[in-house]
């Protein structure tokens, strides 16, 4: 995070009047703009108010109330390959080729009950896309796979003995989740140019692993406080990424996100980064209640060649789906 002194030096050419106005911006907006690459699209406007302000907290409380019960719209399914992966699937009421959102749970969602991955802290990342206003504007399928062995890759021989030693490569959970995605692509009318992946904490690290395991496949990725892993953030460099972290995270140090974002920029990428002042590990509550996040996500399209389509970088969502009769 930049200090006030660094900000003054960086923006020293700005007039005193403009500096006074800029100083009134919330700290999270200042940090987001400071990390934004000059070549990249600017970070979309963030919700009003500082992260811990009553105004901002009201958005989070409103989401909890409005989204209550949406978890019941998920179907429970499983896929059996090398092992059996439980997953939850939301099917939209719209028809035609539609996007797929893939959500990777945090450590609290681990298991095989096919329930925890859409509960606990995972309610934000799994329910936001089901909100009526979002389904109306951006109808999509939503997949929430559940892993009982995390998302990073562990030494297979040691894993059989219950020893979790992280190594490079596609995680065992990620490999199975990709098989679920491929099965859904065969079964449903999913737009291959609009498949998105996201996750929080352990699932945030899983998101970095997933875009590394299948480069240029996803139209965009959203990572929240991704935990430590062998993935340094430089894989699939053309994939648009929006990363969120709280600067007071006591579980996953904010330095992990800062290092990944710095490495991605150094490698030529243009990620978006928002760091919330005073926010602890539960940064997903702020990230998934950012009003502009859905619009940004669904404006990202993968090009036919496998890379993001340049023409969609700043576009609004314009596809007009056809809805089935609700009667």
């Amino acid at each position: 995070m930049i200090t006030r002194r660094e900000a003054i030096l960086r923006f020293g050419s700005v007039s005193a009047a403009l500096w006074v106005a800029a100083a009134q911006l919330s700290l999270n907006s200042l940090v987001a703009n400071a990390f934004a690459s000059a070549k990249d699209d600017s970070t979309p406007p963030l919700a009003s108010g500082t992260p811990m302000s009553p105004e901002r907290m009201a958005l989070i409380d409103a989401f909890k109330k409005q989204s209550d019960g949406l978890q019941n719209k998920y179907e429970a399914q499983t896929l059996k390959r090398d092992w059996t992966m439980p997953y939850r699937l939301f099917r939209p009421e719209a028809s035609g080729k539609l996007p797929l959102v893939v959500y990777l749970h945090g450590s609290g969602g681990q298991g095989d009950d096919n329930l925890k991955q859409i509960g606990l802290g995972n309610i934000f990342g799994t329910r936001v896309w089901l909100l009526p206003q979002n389904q109306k504007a951006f109808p999509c399928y939503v997949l929430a796979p559940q892993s009982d062995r995390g998302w990073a890759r562990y030494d297979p021989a040691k894993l059989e003995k219950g020893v979790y030693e992280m190594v490079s490569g596609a995680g065992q959970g990620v490999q199975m989740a990709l098989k679920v995605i491929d099965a859904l692509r065969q079964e449903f009318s999913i737009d291959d140019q609009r498949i998105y992946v996201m996750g929080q904490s352990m699932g945030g690290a899983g998101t970095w692993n997933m875009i590394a395991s299948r480069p240029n496949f996803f139209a965009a990725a959203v990572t929240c406080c991704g935990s430590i892993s062998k993935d340094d953030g430089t894989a699939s460099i053309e994939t648009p990424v929006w990363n969120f972290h709280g600067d007071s995270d006591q579980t996953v140090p904010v330095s992990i996100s800062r290092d990944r974002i710095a490495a991605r920029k150094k490698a030529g990428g243009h990620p978006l980064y928002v760091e919330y002042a005073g926010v602890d590990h539960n940064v997903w509550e702020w990230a998934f209640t950012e009003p502009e996040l859905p619009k940004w996500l669904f404006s990202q399209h993968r090009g036919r060649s496998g890379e993001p389509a340049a023409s969609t970088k700043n576009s609004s969502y314009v596809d007009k789906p056809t809805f089935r009769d609700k009667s």
Side-chain angles (χ1 to χ4, degrees), residues 21 31 62-63 89 101 120 129 136 182 201 206 212 230 240 248 289 311 324:
V31 172
F63 173 86
L89 178 67
V101 172
L120 306 172
W129 318 109
K136 181 177 180 181
D182 290 340
S201 194
K230 296 293 184 179
S248 297
T289 55
S311 62
R324 298 193 187 102

Side-chain angles (χ1 to χ4, degrees), residues 76-91:
Q77 304 285 349
T78 60
L79 181 74
K80 187 173 183 180
R81 292 292 187 270
D82 300 330
W83 45 285
T84 299
M85 171 167 273
Y87 67 89
R88 289 283 180 148
L89 178 67
F90 169 78
R91 290 198 272 178

Side-chain angles (χ1 to χ4, degrees), residues 83-86 105-117 145-150 202:
W83 45 285
T84 299
M85 171 167 273
H105 60 74
S107 60
Q110 285 195 109
D112 58 6
D113 66 346
N114 212 354
L115 185 60
K116 289 197 293 287
Q117 80 270 32
Q146 185 180 35
S147 175
D148 62 0
R149 59 204 71 189
M202 184 181 75

